[in-house]
Amino acid sequence: MTDTIDASPEAGRPPRRRRHAPAAQSDAPPARPGLKGPKAVINPVVTVLAVGLAFVSVFLAAFHTPTAHRLPVAVVATDHSAALFDVRLQRVAPEAFQIDRYADPASARHAVQHREAYAAYLSGGGGNPEILYAGANGPAVSSLVASLGAVPDGGGHRIPMVDILPLSAGDSRGLSVFYASFGLVLAGFLFGQMTYQVAPRLSFNQRVLSLGLFAVVGGLATTLISCTAFGAIPGDFLGIFGIVTLLAGAVGAATVALIRVFGPIGAPLSSIFMLIMGNASSGGVLPPAFLPGWLQPLASVMPAGVGVRALDGLAYFHHDGLTRGAVILAAWIAVCVGTLFLLDRIAATSGIVHAANR
């Protein structure tokens, strides 16, 4: 609080002091003057090209020649049969697969259904061998897994393939989850950017309310479009709605936090990390096992990666990744909103101290 002196006291009376509260604080990033001269010409070019070239570089690095890196294959066979299958497999696709032994066909089938293995070789115990796989992993994975069937059985014949988790009729290419998540990540980025352009002086409570409204409405609309209108993503409606809402909220909150912390540069930073790195490593186009080693770890921590896995789990893989995805997405929201709250309190405290010292 500050004191000011009433400049027109009545005769014979001492001047009165009026107390004024400091101005209310908002969570707007620090104001910066507009650029002028050569910087105004060069900076937009450099910023936009940096984002565009990052997109080209990351996506080409991830997908120009995707190579499988030791995809797990469940094997139920005798030691001799398993060893022969492994040798023949390495001749067909060196380093693409790794053999994991399972005790019985039921456990091997469970591994494929829960995405712990990409295929299962069942020797048949002297009968007819077969290979189980999940078409829900997408055509690219199914095409690679088909090479397992080229490995001859003991009689020199191709091993029959059985798809135990086919794609839904409304998702013939297995890309619906990726498109839905990409759209939400893009919307979250645009929300975080526009909220400071349209309303830079919102209070913390108003900013969080706006974020929540965006996430819920965006999540509901995306679920209705994906599940109801097109039938592109099968699975529990409420579960899918919950995950896409958390995904939208996580990306929106991260973008808002980056802009709050770094100012205008936070928008291109968010586009690089949330849009480019996040979507490239999401596993929506190809599983993370196909990505370069430096991109693979991002799939397990970035909102897009954990969101895609959770949605795939809801749609096809018996809730694989659902709990982990919900926890990580909620953590992103909590950390980013907590950052906004902390910075808002620091700004408010600084304003009070500054006003008191005037």
Side-chain angles (χ1 to χ4, degrees), residues 3-328:
D3 294 339
T4 58
I5 299 175
D6 192 336
S8 57
E10 298 178 5
R13 296 180 61 184
R16 292 178 297 174
R17 295 181 180 271
R18 296 178 180 175
R19 302 179 69 81
H20 299 275
Q25 299 294 319
S26 76
D27 72 339
R32 299 187 181 186
L35 298 175
K36 298 180 180 180
K39 287 186 177 181
V41 176
I42 296 173
N43 279 25
V45 176
V46 172
T47 302
V48 172
L49 281 181
V51 173
L53 294 177
F55 183 95
V56 172
S57 300
V58 172
F59 271 77
L60 285 182
F63 304 120
H64 76 291
T65 54
T67 304
H69 304 285
R70 303 184 66 80
L71 299 182
V73 176
V75 172
V76 180
T78 64
D79 292 343
H80 178 69
S81 297
L84 286 177
F85 179 76
D86 191 14
V87 170
R88 294 165 183 160
L89 181 59
Q90 294 306 320
R91 291 175 181 172
V92 174
E95 300 301 321
F97 300 99
Q98 69 176 23
I99 301 301
D100 293 334
R101 302 288 299 277
Y102 282 76
D104 53 72
S107 60
R109 176 184 287 268
H110 181 277
V112 175
Q113 292 174 335
H114 291 77
R115 224 175 190 181
E116 298 167 6
Y118 285 87
Y121 169 65
L122 311 180
S123 69
N128 295 325
E130 63 180 3
I131 292 176
L132 312 180
Y133 72 101
N137 281 311
V141 178
S142 297
S143 177
L144 178 63
V145 171
S147 64
L148 298 174
V151 178
D153 60 16
H157 305 99
R158 288 178 57 90
I159 305 174
M161 309 283 294
V162 180
D163 186 355
I164 61 173
L165 279 179
L167 288 166
S168 70
D171 186 25
S172 60
R173 300 298 297 171
L175 294 174
S176 297
V177 167
F178 173 71
Y179 291 143
S181 64
F182 188 97
L184 276 175
V185 171
L186 176 61
F189 163 74
L190 292 175
F191 165 81
Q193 184 179 35
M194 290 192 64
T195 187
Y196 277 123
Q197 292 178 347
V198 175
R201 307 304 299 177
L202 282 181
S203 68
F204 169 79
N205 290 338
Q206 291 173 320
R207 188 81 66 195
V208 173
L209 177 61
S210 179
L211 173 64
L213 184 63
F214 157 73
V216 172
V217 174
L220 179 59
T222 300
T223 307
L224 287 172
I225 293 170
S226 303
C227 301
T228 305
F230 293 102
I233 303 178
D236 178 69
F237 183 92
L238 290 179
I240 294 172
F241 165 65
I243 289 297
V244 296
T245 297
L246 287 174
L247 176 58
V251 177
T255 302
V256 170
L258 284 170
I259 294 175
R260 179 68 175 88
V261 172
F262 296 102
I265 198 65
L269 285 177
S270 179
S271 68
I272 291 174
F273 288 104
M274 294 291 112
L275 275 176
I276 299 173
M277 305 289 284
N279 282 307
S281 63
S282 68
V285 177
L286 286 171
F290 283 77
L291 298 174
W294 59 276
L295 268 178
Q296 288 185 23
L298 296 181
S300 61
V301 294
M302 295 295 286
V306 297
V308 163
R309 178 146 193 165
L311 289 174
D312 276 336
L314 281 165
Y316 298 108
F317 294 100
H318 299 268
H319 295 178
D320 165 60
L322 177 59
T323 301
R324 176 182 173 84
V327 170
I328 292 177

